[in-house]
Amino acid sequence: MSDIYTSILDTIGNTPIVRLARLSPAGIELYAKLEAFNPLGSVKDRLALGVIEAAERDGRLKPGQTVIEATSGNTGIGLAMVCARKGYPLVIVMAESFSVERRKLMRFLGAQVVLTPASEKGTGMVEKARELAATHGWFWTRQFENEANADIHSRTTAREILKAFGETGPDYFVTGAGTGGTLKGIARVLRAERPATQIVVAEPENTPMLASGIRQQYKSDGTPAESHPLFRPHPMMGWAPDFIPQLTADAIDTGLIDVIQPVGGSESLRLARELARQEGIFCGITGGATLAAALEVAKTAQQGSRILFMVPDTGERYLSTPLFESIEQEMNAAEKEISNSTPLCRFGVPTSQPAVAAAVAIEPAPDSARDFVEQAIKDPEQPVVMFALEWCEFCWAARRFLRDLGVAFRSVDLDSVPMQANGLGGDIRKVLHSVTGQRTIPQIFIGGAHIGGAVDLLDLHDRGELVTLLGKAGVAPAGDPTITARSYLPKWLAARSAT
């Protein structure tokens, strides 16, 4: 990349269009518009920039004002990026049923995330956003009926498509309805300038709200008055909330849709995986869903037809969803067979190399290190002390557990820069070995007594003995004493322990 940008927001748009090779039916050209190339990984980056800058231009959004939106996640992630760069506080309202990766991404970017009960569905999170905006005077972006959502797609996404496909345009354009912004914004440009292009809208087959012809009821401001009667839960996050957004209804009413194509949840999951495994395209569930719709279109399309389908986002924000449920964390039988085909670095097999460390003599530690350890262990002001490494998984597990339990503790990080000065950290490890007989880190002391490492600490709690031990040292946990301590172990260790 030769350009230098003044803002991350300048990198939004101009996403690639890629022709599929292995998944295209014979005689049909399938093309994917890869919106994961936006900086925060989804098509909703465009929406976020469009609605914020439109509100800045017309004065609805004031400097420093809090922004709020109800979203399944991708819009919230895009808004978190835009608001971070522009300096607006952001509150996101999201139903609890959407993936936890999305919550964490938004919070990582500085947003606050308010969850609503899954039973209240999309209309519930919209109403919560309305209530919070009215109560606190926040700017509500209203993605489902905000014309700025569609406008930015007319200005950017549609123009990118026309530039790529030239005078004739694609023969078919396939997208999900979503908020309606992508659909309305692109379809109206294609209808005006490439009228031969067929506009195909995909929706979950078990939720045929668009295909039913049953109109959505709206309030005077364009927000849904109630759930659509044909809504059913489905796996396509970002598609088909429990209402038809006003922007989608506009596309229907103005004749922008030629075909409504139902797609199955299982087929969408399968094709998202196939895009990764056969084309190297990593996408979320809706990418598989639009591919499913495109393949249905291809069954009746003329030979030589060019079908463009939207791939709205990346797969990384679906790790906790059914998309990844068949993906193992540990080695499967075939992978173990590969590992066992050579002698080195195998689980459950003694190493063929000599243990060099065992032959190295351990020199006595200087008195300064012994004094440090003794003072740390016996400090009455900090009866819980952990000798640790800054980035060790076991040390992090112990730290997180103690914090959640509400126990103040001192962490002596032996590999930190100050501890490495003059070799103090290494000398302390020698002292700890002579005191505990253990070489591993962390080593934890409570009230001057050595209790062991991270696993020992967690097991003490799960056996019901830790709180008593802490009490004897004058420490009263302020957190939840019912937490399961071993759940804090690294996932790879927890998985091995369970087998």
Side-chain angles (χ1 to χ4, degrees), residues 94-126:
M94 188 168 75
E96 63 178 337
S97 53
F98 298 118
S99 69
V100 296
E101 292 87 351
R102 299 176 183 219
R103 301 181 207 172
K104 290 189 174 183
L105 282 168
M106 289 183 280
R107 287 173 174 147
F108 189 85
L109 287 158
Q112 294 178 289
V113 181
V114 175
L115 299 179
T116 56
S119 60
E120 300 299 319
K121 297 173 283 193
T123 49
M125 67 184 191
V126 169

PDB file of all heavy atoms in Angstrom, residues 94-126:
ATOM      1  N   MET A  94     -27.626  -4.104  22.666  1.00  0.00           N
ATOM      2  CA  MET A  94     -27.546  -5.324  21.874  1.00  0.00           C
ATOM      3  C   MET A  94     -28.235  -6.458  22.612  1.00  0.00           C
ATOM      4  O   MET A  94     -28.039  -6.636  23.819  1.00  0.00           O
ATOM      5  CB  MET A  94     -26.082  -5.689  21.598  1.00  0.00           C
ATOM      6  CG  MET A  94     -25.908  -6.826  20.626  1.00  0.00           C
ATOM      7  SD  MET A  94     -24.193  -7.029  20.057  1.00  0.00           S
ATOM      8  CE  MET A  94     -23.437  -7.759  21.488  1.00  0.00           C
ATOM      9  N   ALA A  95     -29.042  -7.230  21.903  1.00  0.00           N
ATOM     10  CA  ALA A  95     -29.677  -8.394  22.508  1.00  0.00           C
ATOM     11  C   ALA A  95     -28.616  -9.399  22.931  1.00  0.00           C
ATOM     12  O   ALA A  95     -27.599  -9.576  22.247  1.00  0.00           O
ATOM     13  CB  ALA A  95     -30.654  -9.041  21.523  1.00  0.00           C
ATOM     14  N   GLU A  96     -28.839 -10.052  24.051  1.00  0.00           N
ATOM     15  CA  GLU A  96     -27.840 -10.948  24.624  1.00  0.00           C
ATOM     16  C   GLU A  96     -27.544 -12.159  23.754  1.00  0.00           C
ATOM     17  O   GLU A  96     -26.541 -12.847  23.953  1.00  0.00           O
ATOM     18  CB  GLU A  96     -28.321 -11.435  25.997  1.00  0.00           C
ATOM     19  CG  GLU A  96     -29.600 -12.260  25.929  1.00  0.00           C
ATOM     20  CD  GLU A  96     -30.061 -12.777  27.276  1.00  0.00           C
ATOM     21  OE1 GLU A  96     -29.214 -12.885  28.194  1.00  0.00           O
ATOM     22  OE2 GLU A  96     -31.262 -13.070  27.415  1.00  0.00           O
ATOM     23  N   SER A  97     -28.376 -12.434  22.763  1.00  0.00           N
ATOM     24  CA  SER A  97     -28.218 -13.632  21.937  1.00  0.00           C
ATOM     25  C   SER A  97     -27.116 -13.502  20.898  1.00  0.00           C
ATOM     26  O   SER A  97     -26.702 -14.510  20.311  1.00  0.00           O
ATOM     27  CB  SER A  97     -29.544 -13.955  21.230  1.00  0.00           C
ATOM     28  OG  SER A  97     -30.018 -12.821  20.530  1.00  0.00           O
ATOM     29  N   PHE A  98     -26.620 -12.294  20.658  1.00  0.00           N
ATOM     30  CA  PHE A  98     -25.594 -12.125  19.629  1.00  0.00           C
ATOM     31  C   PHE A  98     -24.214 -12.462  20.192  1.00  0.00           C
ATOM     32  O   PHE A  98     -23.988 -12.417  21.403  1.00  0.00           O
ATOM     33  CB  PHE A  98     -25.631 -10.707  19.068  1.00  0.00           C
ATOM     34  CG  PHE A  98     -26.936 -10.389  18.390  1.00  0.00           C
ATOM     35  CD1 PHE A  98     -27.755  -9.377  18.858  1.00  0.00           C
ATOM     36  CD2 PHE A  98     -27.348 -11.111  17.285  1.00  0.00           C
ATOM     37  CE1 PHE A  98     -28.961  -9.089  18.245  1.00  0.00           C
ATOM     38  CE2 PHE A  98     -28.547 -10.835  16.657  1.00  0.00           C
ATOM     39  CZ  PHE A  98     -29.361  -9.818  17.143  1.00  0.00           C
ATOM     40  N   SER A  99     -23.264 -12.774  19.303  1.00  0.00           N
ATOM     41  CA  SER A  99     -21.996 -13.376  19.723  1.00  0.00           C
ATOM     42  C   SER A  99     -21.207 -12.468  20.668  1.00  0.00           C
ATOM     43  O   SER A  99     -21.178 -11.251  20.524  1.00  0.00           O
ATOM     44  CB  SER A  99     -21.139 -13.721  18.494  1.00  0.00           C
ATOM     45  OG  SER A  99     -20.668 -12.565  17.850  1.00  0.00           O
ATOM     46  N   VAL A 100     -20.540 -13.118  21.635  1.00  0.00           N
ATOM     47  CA  VAL A 100     -19.783 -12.376  22.643  1.00  0.00           C
ATOM     48  C   VAL A 100     -18.574 -11.693  22.036  1.00  0.00           C
ATOM     49  O   VAL A 100     -18.090 -10.682  22.571  1.00  0.00           O
ATOM     50  CB  VAL A 100     -19.347 -13.299  23.800  1.00  0.00           C
ATOM     51  CG1 VAL A 100     -20.543 -13.835  24.540  1.00  0.00           C
ATOM     52  CG2 VAL A 100     -18.481 -14.460  23.301  1.00  0.00           C
ATOM     53  N   GLU A 101     -18.051 -12.221  20.910  1.00  0.00           N
ATOM     54  CA  GLU A 101     -16.917 -11.561  20.267  1.00  0.00           C
ATOM     55  C   GLU A 101     -17.242 -10.111  19.926  1.00  0.00           C
ATOM     56  O   GLU A 101     -16.406  -9.220  20.040  1.00  0.00           O
ATOM     57  CB  GLU A 101     -16.515 -12.301  18.985  1.00  0.00           C
ATOM     58  CG  GLU A 101     -15.926 -13.672  19.211  1.00  0.00           C
ATOM     59  CD  GLU A 101     -16.967 -14.766  19.288  1.00  0.00           C
ATOM     60  OE1 GLU A 101     -18.176 -14.453  19.331  1.00  0.00           O
ATOM     61  OE2 GLU A 101     -16.572 -15.933  19.305  1.00  0.00           O
ATOM     62  N   ARG A 102     -18.478  -9.887  19.500  1.00  0.00           N
ATOM     63  CA  ARG A 102     -18.878  -8.540  19.092  1.00  0.00           C
ATOM     64  C   ARG A 102     -18.902  -7.599  20.294  1.00  0.00           C
ATOM     65  O   ARG A 102     -18.460  -6.456  20.206  1.00  0.00           O
ATOM     66  CB  ARG A 102     -20.249  -8.598  18.407  1.00  0.00           C
ATOM     67  CG  ARG A 102     -20.223  -9.464  17.165  1.00  0.00           C
ATOM     68  CD  ARG A 102     -21.601  -9.612  16.536  1.00  0.00           C
ATOM     69  NE  ARG A 102     -21.528 -10.507  15.390  1.00  0.00           N
ATOM     70  CZ  ARG A 102     -22.202 -10.328  14.263  1.00  0.00           C
ATOM     71  NH1 ARG A 102     -22.997  -9.295  14.129  1.00  0.00           N
ATOM     72  NH2 ARG A 102     -22.085 -11.185  13.278  1.00  0.00           N
ATOM     73  N   ARG A 103     -19.429  -8.082  21.422  1.00  0.00           N
ATOM     74  CA  ARG A 103     -19.423  -7.248  22.632  1.00  0.00           C
ATOM     75  C   ARG A 103     -18.001  -6.845  22.993  1.00  0.00           C
ATOM     76  O   ARG A 103     -17.727  -5.687  23.308  1.00  0.00           O
ATOM     77  CB  ARG A 103     -19.993  -8.023  23.812  1.00  0.00           C
ATOM     78  CG  ARG A 103     -21.394  -8.521  23.673  1.00  0.00           C
ATOM     79  CD  ARG A 103     -21.773  -9.247  24.960  1.00  0.00           C
ATOM     80  NE  ARG A 103     -22.788 -10.254  24.739  1.00  0.00           N
ATOM     81  CZ  ARG A 103     -23.182 -11.112  25.651  1.00  0.00           C
ATOM     82  NH1 ARG A 103     -22.636 -11.094  26.855  1.00  0.00           N
ATOM     83  NH2 ARG A 103     -24.113 -12.005  25.384  1.00  0.00           N
ATOM     84  N   LYS A 104     -17.100  -7.816  22.965  1.00  0.00           N
ATOM     85  CA  LYS A 104     -15.728  -7.541  23.382  1.00  0.00           C
ATOM     86  C   LYS A 104     -15.037  -6.572  22.428  1.00  0.00           C
ATOM     87  O   LYS A 104     -14.274  -5.703  22.852  1.00  0.00           O
ATOM     88  CB  LYS A 104     -14.943  -8.847  23.493  1.00  0.00           C
ATOM     89  CG  LYS A 104     -15.383  -9.720  24.666  1.00  0.00           C
ATOM     90  CD  LYS A 104     -14.441 -10.896  24.860  1.00  0.00           C
ATOM     91  CE  LYS A 104     -14.806 -11.672  26.122  1.00  0.00           C
ATOM     92  NZ  LYS A 104     -13.853 -12.779  26.380  1.00  0.00           N
ATOM     93  N   LEU A 105     -15.287  -6.726  21.133  1.00  0.00           N
ATOM     94  CA  LEU A 105     -14.687  -5.808  20.167  1.00  0.00           C
ATOM     95  C   LEU A 105     -15.145  -4.377  20.415  1.00  0.00           C
ATOM     96  O   LEU A 105     -14.336  -3.433  20.395  1.00  0.00           O
ATOM     97  CB  LEU A 105     -15.048  -6.238  18.742  1.00  0.00           C
ATOM     98  CG  LEU A 105     -14.262  -7.419  18.174  1.00  0.00           C
ATOM     99  CD1 LEU A 105     -14.920  -7.914  16.894  1.00  0.00           C
ATOM    100  CD2 LEU A 105     -12.819  -7.040  17.920  1.00  0.00           C
ATOM    101  N   MET A 106     -16.436  -4.190  20.660  1.00  0.00           N
ATOM    102  CA  MET A 106     -16.952  -2.837  20.891  1.00  0.00           C
ATOM    103  C   MET A 106     -16.390  -2.250  22.181  1.00  0.00           C
ATOM    104  O   MET A 106     -15.989  -1.089  22.221  1.00  0.00           O
ATOM    105  CB  MET A 106     -18.479  -2.864  20.912  1.00  0.00           C
ATOM    106  CG  MET A 106     -19.091  -3.106  19.541  1.00  0.00           C
ATOM    107  SD  MET A 106     -20.894  -3.060  19.526  1.00  0.00           S
ATOM    108  CE  MET A 106     -21.304  -4.685  20.151  1.00  0.00           C
ATOM    109  N   ARG A 107     -16.346  -3.060  23.214  1.00  0.00           N
ATOM    110  CA  ARG A 107     -15.783  -2.565  24.483  1.00  0.00           C
ATOM    111  C   ARG A 107     -14.296  -2.278  24.343  1.00  0.00           C
ATOM    112  O   ARG A 107     -13.784  -1.328  24.931  1.00  0.00           O
ATOM    113  CB  ARG A 107     -16.052  -3.585  25.587  1.00  0.00           C
ATOM    114  CG  ARG A 107     -17.521  -3.607  26.013  1.00  0.00           C
ATOM    115  CD  ARG A 107     -17.823  -4.738  26.972  1.00  0.00           C
ATOM    116  NE  ARG A 107     -19.200  -4.644  27.474  1.00  0.00           N
ATOM    117  CZ  ARG A 107     -19.946  -5.685  27.772  1.00  0.00           C
ATOM    118  NH1 ARG A 107     -19.470  -6.918  27.622  1.00  0.00           N
ATOM    119  NH2 ARG A 107     -21.174  -5.521  28.227  1.00  0.00           N
ATOM    120  N   PHE A 108     -13.586  -3.094  23.579  1.00  0.00           N
ATOM    121  CA  PHE A 108     -12.160  -2.863  23.334  1.00  0.00           C
ATOM    122  C   PHE A 108     -11.940  -1.507  22.672  1.00  0.00           C
ATOM    123  O   PHE A 108     -10.949  -0.820  22.935  1.00  0.00           O
ATOM    124  CB  PHE A 108     -11.602  -3.984  22.453  1.00  0.00           C
ATOM    125  CG  PHE A 108     -10.115  -3.967  22.299  1.00  0.00           C
ATOM    126  CD1 PHE A 108      -9.306  -4.574  23.243  1.00  0.00           C
ATOM    127  CD2 PHE A 108      -9.509  -3.354  21.210  1.00  0.00           C
ATOM    128  CE1 PHE A 108      -7.919  -4.566  23.101  1.00  0.00           C
ATOM    129  CE2 PHE A 108      -8.142  -3.332  21.059  1.00  0.00           C
ATOM    130  CZ  PHE A 108      -7.331  -3.948  22.014  1.00  0.00           C
ATOM    131  N   LEU A 109     -12.880  -1.118  21.806  1.00  0.00           N
ATOM    132  CA  LEU A 109     -12.787   0.159  21.104  1.00  0.00           C
ATOM    133  C   LEU A 109     -13.309   1.325  21.941  1.00  0.00           C
ATOM    134  O   LEU A 109     -13.317   2.463  21.468  1.00  0.00           O
ATOM    135  CB  LEU A 109     -13.555   0.090  19.784  1.00  0.00           C
ATOM    136  CG  LEU A 109     -12.885  -0.753  18.684  1.00  0.00           C
ATOM    137  CD1 LEU A 109     -13.902  -1.214  17.661  1.00  0.00           C
ATOM    138  CD2 LEU A 109     -11.761   0.037  18.025  1.00  0.00           C
ATOM    139  N   GLY A 110     -13.732   1.054  23.170  1.00  0.00           N
ATOM    140  CA  GLY A 110     -14.122   2.130  24.071  1.00  0.00           C
ATOM    141  C   GLY A 110     -15.609   2.321  24.246  1.00  0.00           C
ATOM    142  O   GLY A 110     -16.030   3.199  25.007  1.00  0.00           O
ATOM    143  N   ALA A 111     -16.425   1.536  23.539  1.00  0.00           N
ATOM    144  CA  ALA A 111     -17.874   1.678  23.670  1.00  0.00           C
ATOM    145  C   ALA A 111     -18.364   0.988  24.940  1.00  0.00           C
ATOM    146  O   ALA A 111     -17.717   0.086  25.469  1.00  0.00           O
ATOM    147  CB  ALA A 111     -18.575   1.082  22.456  1.00  0.00           C
ATOM    148  N   GLN A 112     -19.520   1.411  25.408  1.00  0.00           N
ATOM    149  CA  GLN A 112     -20.229   0.706  26.467  1.00  0.00           C
ATOM    150  C   GLN A 112     -21.354  -0.093  25.836  1.00  0.00           C
ATOM    151  O   GLN A 112     -22.031   0.393  24.924  1.00  0.00           O
ATOM    152  CB  GLN A 112     -20.777   1.692  27.501  1.00  0.00           C
ATOM    153  CG  GLN A 112     -19.685   2.424  28.279  1.00  0.00           C
ATOM    154  CD  GLN A 112     -20.269   3.426  29.252  1.00  0.00           C
ATOM    155  OE1 GLN A 112     -20.802   4.458  28.839  1.00  0.00           O
ATOM    156  NE2 GLN A 112     -20.164   3.130  30.540  1.00  0.00           N
ATOM    157  N   VAL A 113     -21.547  -1.326  26.306  1.00  0.00           N
ATOM    158  CA  VAL A 113     -22.520  -2.231  25.699  1.00  0.00           C
ATOM    159  C   VAL A 113     -23.582  -2.588  26.730  1.00  0.00           C
ATOM    160  O   VAL A 113     -23.274  -3.160  27.780  1.00  0.00           O
ATOM    161  CB  VAL A 113     -21.851  -3.507  25.167  1.00  0.00           C
ATOM    162  CG1 VAL A 113     -22.895  -4.426  24.524  1.00  0.00           C
ATOM    163  CG2 VAL A 113     -20.757  -3.156  24.162  1.00  0.00           C
ATOM    164  N   VAL A 114     -24.815  -2.235  26.422  1.00  0.00           N
ATOM    165  CA  VAL A 114     -25.962  -2.544  27.277  1.00  0.00           C
ATOM    166  C   VAL A 114     -26.724  -3.699  26.631  1.00  0.00           C
ATOM    167  O   VAL A 114     -27.148  -3.595  25.480  1.00  0.00           O
ATOM    168  CB  VAL A 114     -26.883  -1.317  27.433  1.00  0.00           C
ATOM    169  CG1 VAL A 114     -28.144  -1.684  28.224  1.00  0.00           C
ATOM    170  CG2 VAL A 114     -26.134  -0.177  28.106  1.00  0.00           C
ATOM    171  N   LEU A 115     -26.877  -4.794  27.371  1.00  0.00           N
ATOM    172  CA  LEU A 115     -27.552  -5.971  26.828  1.00  0.00           C
ATOM    173  C   LEU A 115     -29.038  -5.949  27.162  1.00  0.00           C
ATOM    174  O   LEU A 115     -29.434  -5.468  28.225  1.00  0.00           O
ATOM    175  CB  LEU A 115     -26.915  -7.242  27.377  1.00  0.00           C
ATOM    176  CG  LEU A 115     -25.440  -7.449  27.048  1.00  0.00           C
ATOM    177  CD1 LEU A 115     -24.931  -8.737  27.682  1.00  0.00           C
ATOM    178  CD2 LEU A 115     -25.202  -7.467  25.541  1.00  0.00           C
ATOM    179  N   THR A 116     -29.828  -6.493  26.245  1.00  0.00           N
ATOM    180  CA  THR A 116     -31.265  -6.651  26.482  1.00  0.00           C
ATOM    181  C   THR A 116     -31.609  -8.136  26.411  1.00  0.00           C
ATOM    182  O   THR A 116     -30.907  -8.912  25.746  1.00  0.00           O
ATOM    183  CB  THR A 116     -32.091  -5.874  25.443  1.00  0.00           C
ATOM    184  OG1 THR A 116     -31.709  -6.301  24.127  1.00  0.00           O
ATOM    185  CG2 THR A 116     -31.857  -4.380  25.572  1.00  0.00           C
ATOM    186  N   PRO A 117     -32.672  -8.568  27.081  1.00  0.00           N
ATOM    187  CA  PRO A 117     -33.034  -9.995  27.074  1.00  0.00           C
ATOM    188  C   PRO A 117     -33.316 -10.503  25.659  1.00  0.00           C
ATOM    189  O   PRO A 117     -33.949  -9.812  24.858  1.00  0.00           O
ATOM    190  CB  PRO A 117     -34.292 -10.045  27.941  1.00  0.00           C
ATOM    191  CG  PRO A 117     -34.232  -8.823  28.800  1.00  0.00           C
ATOM    192  CD  PRO A 117     -33.580  -7.774  27.952  1.00  0.00           C
ATOM    193  N   ALA A 118     -32.845 -11.713  25.378  1.00  0.00           N
ATOM    194  CA  ALA A 118     -33.080 -12.303  24.054  1.00  0.00           C
ATOM    195  C   ALA A 118     -34.566 -12.409  23.754  1.00  0.00           C
ATOM    196  O   ALA A 118     -34.985 -12.288  22.592  1.00  0.00           O
ATOM    197  CB  ALA A 118     -32.426 -13.684  23.988  1.00  0.00           C
ATOM    198  N   SER A 119     -35.370 -12.601  24.785  1.00  0.00           N
ATOM    199  CA  SER A 119     -36.814 -12.745  24.590  1.00  0.00           C
ATOM    200  C   SER A 119     -37.461 -11.490  24.022  1.00  0.00           C
ATOM    201  O   SER A 119     -38.541 -11.552  23.427  1.00  0.00           O
ATOM    202  CB  SER A 119     -37.483 -13.104  25.915  1.00  0.00           C
ATOM    203  OG  SER A 119     -37.252 -12.091  26.889  1.00  0.00           O
ATOM    204  N   GLU A 120     -36.804 -10.336  24.193  1.00  0.00           N
ATOM    205  CA  GLU A 120     -37.359  -9.071  23.686  1.00  0.00           C
ATOM    206  C   GLU A 120     -36.991  -8.809  22.232  1.00  0.00           C
ATOM    207  O   GLU A 120     -37.443  -7.823  21.641  1.00  0.00           O
ATOM    208  CB  GLU A 120     -36.887  -7.906  24.564  1.00  0.00           C
ATOM    209  CG  GLU A 120     -37.305  -8.015  26.023  1.00  0.00           C
ATOM    210  CD  GLU A 120     -38.814  -8.045  26.191  1.00  0.00           C
ATOM    211  OE1 GLU A 120     -39.491  -7.274  25.487  1.00  0.00           O
ATOM    212  OE2 GLU A 120     -39.305  -8.844  27.014  1.00  0.00           O
ATOM    213  N   LYS A 121     -36.114  -9.641  21.682  1.00  0.00           N
ATOM    214  CA  LYS A 121     -35.748  -9.603  20.258  1.00  0.00           C
ATOM    215  C   LYS A 121     -35.237  -8.219  19.807  1.00  0.00           C
ATOM    216  O   LYS A 121     -34.862  -7.385  20.633  1.00  0.00           O
ATOM    217  CB  LYS A 121     -36.936 -10.066  19.412  1.00  0.00           C
ATOM    218  CG  LYS A 121     -37.330 -11.506  19.700  1.00  0.00           C
ATOM    219  CD  LYS A 121     -38.598 -11.913  18.992  1.00  0.00           C
ATOM    220  CE  LYS A 121     -39.837 -11.360  19.675  1.00  0.00           C
ATOM    221  NZ  LYS A 121     -41.089 -11.985  19.202  1.00  0.00           N
ATOM    222  N   GLY A 122     -35.214  -8.019  18.485  1.00  0.00           N
ATOM    223  CA  GLY A 122     -34.681  -6.768  17.953  1.00  0.00           C
ATOM    224  C   GLY A 122     -35.495  -5.550  18.325  1.00  0.00           C
ATOM    225  O   GLY A 122     -34.946  -4.475  18.590  1.00  0.00           O
ATOM    226  N   THR A 123     -36.827  -5.695  18.354  1.00  0.00           N
ATOM    227  CA  THR A 123     -37.653  -4.543  18.710  1.00  0.00           C
ATOM    228  C   THR A 123     -37.374  -4.091  20.136  1.00  0.00           C
ATOM    229  O   THR A 123     -37.437  -2.904  20.439  1.00  0.00           O
ATOM    230  CB  THR A 123     -39.146  -4.882  18.557  1.00  0.00           C
ATOM    231  OG1 THR A 123     -39.421  -6.126  19.220  1.00  0.00           O
ATOM    232  CG2 THR A 123     -39.539  -4.987  17.102  1.00  0.00           C
ATOM    233  N   GLY A 124     -37.036  -5.043  21.005  1.00  0.00           N
ATOM    234  CA  GLY A 124     -36.724  -4.685  22.383  1.00  0.00           C
ATOM    235  C   GLY A 124     -35.476  -3.841  22.491  1.00  0.00           C
ATOM    236  O   GLY A 124     -35.446  -2.847  23.229  1.00  0.00           O
ATOM    237  N   MET A 125     -34.443  -4.194  21.729  1.00  0.00           N
ATOM    238  CA  MET A 125     -33.212  -3.400  21.822  1.00  0.00           C
ATOM    239  C   MET A 125     -33.411  -2.021  21.177  1.00  0.00           C
ATOM    240  O   MET A 125     -32.823  -1.033  21.630  1.00  0.00           O
ATOM    241  CB  MET A 125     -32.015  -4.147  21.229  1.00  0.00           C
ATOM    242  CG  MET A 125     -32.021  -4.392  19.751  1.00  0.00           C
ATOM    243  SD  MET A 125     -30.585  -5.394  19.234  1.00  0.00           S
ATOM    244  CE  MET A 125     -30.695  -5.226  17.435  1.00  0.00           C
ATOM    245  N   VAL A 126     -34.253  -1.948  20.148  1.00  0.00           N
ATOM    246  CA  VAL A 126     -34.559  -0.639  19.551  1.00  0.00           C
ATOM    247  C   VAL A 126     -35.279   0.255  20.556  1.00  0.00           C
ATOM    248  O   VAL A 126     -34.959   1.443  20.711  1.00  0.00           O
ATOM    249  CB  VAL A 126     -35.397  -0.817  18.263  1.00  0.00           C
ATOM    250  CG1 VAL A 126     -35.942   0.536  17.791  1.00  0.00           C
ATOM    251  CG2 VAL A 126     -34.553  -1.453  17.160  1.00  0.00           C
TER     252      VAL A 126
END
